[in-house]
Amino acid sequence: MVTNPEDLIVAFDDDIAYENTTISSLACAKRHDPEFSWTGHRFTGLRGFQTGQGADGFMMHAGDLKGFKDFIESVEEPCFKVDDLAVSEWLTNYVKRPVKSLEEKQQRVDACGLVKMPIYKSNCWMAPDKRSKGGERRICRPSIQSVNSLRNDHASGGRGDDMKRCTDALAARCKGATGCAEK
């Protein structure tokens, strides 16, 4: 449906409410640093590169998705619940648009400003940080979450098992694939 490869596409989880500035913040970051994909928060995935999340928005150009349909169909079953991994794999290793994060202030702050994090409407609290003695960390969860949320879906072994299955499928697909930069 989107024919101009320069048009911006943004993906979000559909069971979360977002702050009013979320789209403009992601669009500004992309406009000022178009060689990257943009998200609110990223993490290092099991394949060693930065992974964006739909819960934190995902901004890209429409042209970045050329060929994505065949790619996603090839890993649909193992990656259905953790499609963020597949999208990040595509953007990073096939179209060479690695993921940058607003949370890490990687945007041009002089042009786009600082962004209130998280970018979704949230319920946050402080909890002990098991990784540092006596430290605390901030935990945030969306204030609106549908009954369809996969967060507590353990039928397939849980999110960790889903991520491992998808990571294995992505690695297997990348081996020998044209344009895929194996990590």
Side-chain angles (χ1 to χ4, degrees), residues 3-161:
T3 58
N4 181 348
E6 294 301 312
D7 282 350
L8 293 177
I9 302 288
V10 64
F12 289 105
D13 284 359
D14 64 354
D15 59 352
I16 296 174
Y18 292 88
E19 297 292 344
N20 295 338
T21 58
T22 298
I23 292 175
S24 60
S25 296
L26 289 167
C28 185
K30 181 69 172 164
R31 185 173 52 253
H32 289 286
D33 203 352
E35 296 305 309
F36 293 87
S37 322
W38 284 89
T39 188
H41 169 79
R42 67 183 188 165
F43 64 94
T44 303
L46 296 174
R47 293 203 2 94
F49 56 85
Q50 296 299 315
T51 301
Q53 302 184 114
D56 293 287
F58 222 136
M59 178 74 65
M60 64 210 78
H61 281 116
D64 296 341
L65 298 175
K66 184 176 183 202
F68 182 69
K69 182 179 184 283
D70 291 336
F71 171 82
I72 196 66
E73 286 175 356
S74 73
V75 293
E76 184 174 10
E77 186 176 330
C79 294
F80 179 75
K81 291 183 182 178
V82 289
D83 57 336
D84 310 18
L85 298 179
V87 173
S88 296
E89 171 92 20
W90 175 260
L91 292 169
T92 299
N93 292 328
Y94 290 83
V95 295
K96 312 303 185 238
R97 298 272 192 258
V99 181
K100 280 191 171 183
S101 162
L102 299 174
E103 180 179 52
E104 296 171 46
K105 300 173 184 66
Q106 294 179 308
Q107 73 274 24
R108 288 235 346 249
V109 174
D110 61 322
C112 301
L114 293 174
V115 180
K116 177 183 176 273
M117 295 304 294
I119 61 174
Y120 51 78
K121 294 185 188 276
S122 61
N123 173 25
C124 299
W125 65 94
M126 296 304 290
D129 187 351
K130 296 175 185 172
R131 292 172 276 186
S132 67
K133 290 185 179 183
E136 288 188 322
R137 66 185 179 115
R138 184 172 180 233
I139 297 174
C140 295
R141 295 288 184 258
S143 57
I144 298 173
Q145 195 170 32
S146 79
V147 294
N148 294 341
S149 175
L150 297 175
R151 179 175 295 285
N152 294 315
D153 178 7
H154 299 287
S156 62
R159 187 157 174 84
D161 288 346

